[in-house]
C-alpha cells in the first residue's frame, strides 16, 4: 500500500507516541519550559522603587536585582509616559540591572522585567512608579511662526534659561529634533546661551516640509533644570527664490528655481551709507512704512521723512527693498539711497507680490560692510559650514555666539 507523504507523517508520529507510553509528548512542546506562558516573577526580582508609593527622585538610579536560587534577569524595559526607553545595563550573570542615565522628571515609568528560573521557566513582572517634577524647567520656543517660507529660512529655538555647560548643551541639542527631507544635512548652532539656530548645509529643498519638536520634557539638563513640554513647529518650504543685487551694476536679478524671471534697475546705498554685502533672508513685508532719518541717527542735510510703499525687510536695522519713486532717474545708474535697495513703484509692487518671508536676497559688489551673521536679521548663510558646525555642542565643539540686538530700538532706513 502506498501512502501519501502527509499521511505517513501523521502515522509515524502516532506510532512514536504509542511506543513512548501514555502521556508522552515527543511531537509536542509541553515539556519545554521556554514554550510556557511567563509566570509571575514577583518572587524572583526586587526593585529599589515601590509601585504606588510617593514619587521618587529621578536622579536616583533604578535598580532591579534577582532573588531566589537559580533565578536570573533576562531583559528589562523601562518606558516613560512619552514612550522614551530608559537606558540600562544588565550584569553578565543576570543578577542585577541598573539604569545608566538619569530618569525623566514628572513622568510615570512602566517597568517590565523578564526572568527565568533554574529550570529555564520564563517569568515576567511589571510595575509602575512616578518621578517627582523638577522645580526648575527649561522651556523652548521655536520660530518662526508656522507657515510657508522660502528656502533660506533658519529655524530658531529660544530658551527661557541660559545653558552654558557643554554637556548640558549637548543634552539640549539631542532633544531638539528636526525632521527634514531625506538626505538633508543640518546642524544647530548656539548663537548665545539662550538662542540656537538650525540650518541645513545648503538651502532647504524647494517645495518640501520641515518640522521641529522637542523631546526634552522631563529630561535632566542640569541638577536644577529639567526640560519642559514645547509646542512643535511645521514649516512649508516654497519655491527656491534667490535675489541678487549687484550694487556696482545697479541691477537686481530675480531667480525662481534657478530660472531668471525678472531683472530690475535699482539704486543702493551711497558712500557713507553703503548697503551691506552678503546673503540676507527676507524678514517680512509691509505695504506702507513711514521712514525717518532721526530713528537711525541721521539728521542735518541727510534727514528724510518719507512714506514708503511695497517694503520688503531684510535687516532689523532698517534695510529694505522698496519703492523709491523720488530717485527713479538714478535707478540702474547710481547709488543714492541711505542703505536700502530702491526701485520704481511698479517694479517694487511686482517684487512685493513675488517675494516671501525666508527667501534669499544677496547683495554683491557693494563698498559697504558685510552682513552680520547674527543680531541684525538672518545672516546665517554667510558663515562657512565648517564654522557653523563648530557652534554645535554635538559636533566639533562650541563657538562663542553674539547676542541678539535689541530689536525694539532698530528702525528703518531708506
Amino acid at each position: 500500500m502506498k501512502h501519501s507523504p502527509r499521511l505517513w507523517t501523521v502515522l509515524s508520529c502516532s506510532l512514536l507516541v504509542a511506543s513512548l507510553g501514555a502521556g508522552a509528548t515527543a511531537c509536542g512542546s509541553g515539556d519545554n519550559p521556554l514554550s510556557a506562558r511567563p509566570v509571575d516573577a514577583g518572587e524572583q526580582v526586587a526593585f529599589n522603587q515601590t509601585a504606588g508609593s510617593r514619587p521618587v527622585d529621578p536622579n536616583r538610579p533604578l535598580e532591579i536585582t534577582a532573588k531566589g536560587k537559580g533565578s536570573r534577569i533576562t531583559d528589562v524595559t523601562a518606558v516613560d509616559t512619552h514612550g522614551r526607553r530608559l537606558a540600562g545595563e544588565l550584569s553578565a550573570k543576570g543578577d542585577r540591572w541598573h539604569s545608566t542615565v538619569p530618569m525623566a522628571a514628572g513622568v510615570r515609568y512602566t517597568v517590565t522585567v523578564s526572568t527565568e528560573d533554574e529550570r529555564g521557566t520564563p517569568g515576567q513582572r511589571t510595575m509602575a512608579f512616578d518621578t517627582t517634577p523638577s522645580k526648575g524647567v527649561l522651556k523652548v520656543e521655536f520660530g518662526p511662526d508656522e507657515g510657508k517660507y522660502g528656502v533660506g529660512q533658519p529655524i530658531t529655538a529660544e530658551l527661557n534659561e541660559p545653558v552654558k555647560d557643554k554637556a548640558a548643551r549637548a543634552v539640549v541639542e539631542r532633544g531638539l529634533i528636526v525632521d527634514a527631507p531625506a538626505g538633508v544635512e543640518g546642524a544647530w548652532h548656539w548663537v548665545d546661551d539662550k538662542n540656537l539656530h538650525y540650518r541645513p548645509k545648503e538651502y532647504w529643498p524647494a517645495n518640501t516640509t520641515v518640522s521641529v519638536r522637542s523631546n526634552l520634557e522631563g529630561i535632566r539638563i542640569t541638577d536644577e533644570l529639567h526640560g519642559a513640554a514645547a509646542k512643535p513647529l511645521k514649516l512649508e518650504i516654497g519655491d527656491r527664490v534667490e535675489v541678487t543685487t549687484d550694487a556696482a551694476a545697479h541691477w537686481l536679478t530675480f531667480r525662481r528655481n534657478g530660472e531668471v524671471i525678472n531683472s530690475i534697475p535699482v539704486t543702493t546705498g551711497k558712500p557713507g551709507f553703503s548697503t551691506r554685502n552678503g546673503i540676507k533672508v527676507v524678514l517680512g513685508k509691509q505695504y506702507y512704512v513711514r521712514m525717518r532719518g532721526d530713528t537711525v541717527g541721521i539728521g542735518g542735510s541727510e534727514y528724510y521723512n518719507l512714506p514708503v510703499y511695497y517694503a520688503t525687510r531684510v535687516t532689523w536695522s532698517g534695510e529694505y527693498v522698496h519703492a523709491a519713486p523720488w530717485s527713479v532717474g538714478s535707478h540702474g545708474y547710481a547709488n543714492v539711497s541711505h542703505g536700502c535697495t530702491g526701485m520704481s513703484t511698479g517694479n517694487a509692487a511686482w517684487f512685493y507680490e513675488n517675494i516671501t518671508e525666508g527667501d534669499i536676497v544677496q547683495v554683491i559688489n557693494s563698498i559697504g560692510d558685510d552682513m552680520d551673521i547674527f543680531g541684525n536679521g538672518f545672516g546665517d548663510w554667510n558663515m562657512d559650514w565648517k564654522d557653523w558646525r563648530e557652534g554645535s555642542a554635538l559636533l566639533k565643539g562650541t563657538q562663542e555666539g553674539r547676542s541678539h540686538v535689541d530689536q525694539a530700538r532698530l528702525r528703518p532706513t531708506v
Side-chain angles (χ1 to χ4, degrees), residues 57-133:
D57 182 359
N59 293 316
R60 181 189 179 194
L62 172 62
E63 294 184 2
I64 305 167
T65 54
K67 62 180 183 177
K69 183 179 179 181
S71 296
R72 71 185 190 93
I73 299 169
T74 58
D75 187 46
V76 174
T77 60
V79 181
D80 73 7
T81 309
H82 305 288
R84 299 173 299 202
R85 189 164 176 169
L86 182 65
E89 184 176 86
L90 180 63
S91 65
K93 293 181 180 180
D95 60 346
R96 179 177 177 269
W97 182 96
H98 68 281
S99 57
T100 53
V101 297
M103 291 186 287
V107 299
R108 165 158 286 213
Y109 277 96
T110 300
V111 185
T112 301
V113 184
S114 297
T115 66
E116 64 179 24
D117 62 16
E118 58 186 352
R119 296 181 63 249
T121 304
Q124 195 172 84
R125 182 69 168 174
T126 300
M127 64 94 73
F129 60 88
D130 298 321
T131 57
T132 54

Side-chain angles (χ1 to χ4, degrees), residues 326-340:
W326 54 83
S327 61
V328 68
S330 298
H331 299 172
Y333 300 100
N335 292 324
V336 297
S337 82
H338 288 92
C340 291

Side-chain angles (χ1 to χ4, degrees), residues 308-359:
V308 175
Y309 294 89
Y310 301 112
T312 298
R313 191 168 198 159
V314 292
T315 73
W316 294 124
S317 60
E319 186 180 322
Y320 286 81
V321 179
H322 63 73
W326 54 83
S327 61
V328 68
S330 298
H331 299 172
Y333 300 100
N335 292 324
V336 297
S337 82
H338 288 92
C340 291
T341 298
M343 59 184 67
S344 70
T345 300
N347 283 329
W350 181 93
F351 187 91
Y352 186 90
E353 291 299 323
N354 285 275
I355 201 76
T356 300
E357 191 171 341
D359 286 342

Side-chain angles (χ1 to χ4, degrees), residues 7 88 135 287 370:
L7 180 59
K135 294 181 179 179
Y287 170 70
D370 291 335

Side-chain angles (χ1 to χ4, degrees), residues 1-8 11:
M1 180 177 177
K2 189 174 182 180
H3 299 284
S4 69
R6 183 173 182 180
L7 180 59
W8 178 251
L11 290 174

Side-chain angles (χ1 to χ4, degrees), residues 25-45:
T25 56
C27 289
S29 56
D31 271 359
N32 184 350
L34 297 180
S35 69
R37 180 176 297 178
V39 300
D40 184 354
E43 300 299 322
Q44 296 177 354
V45 293

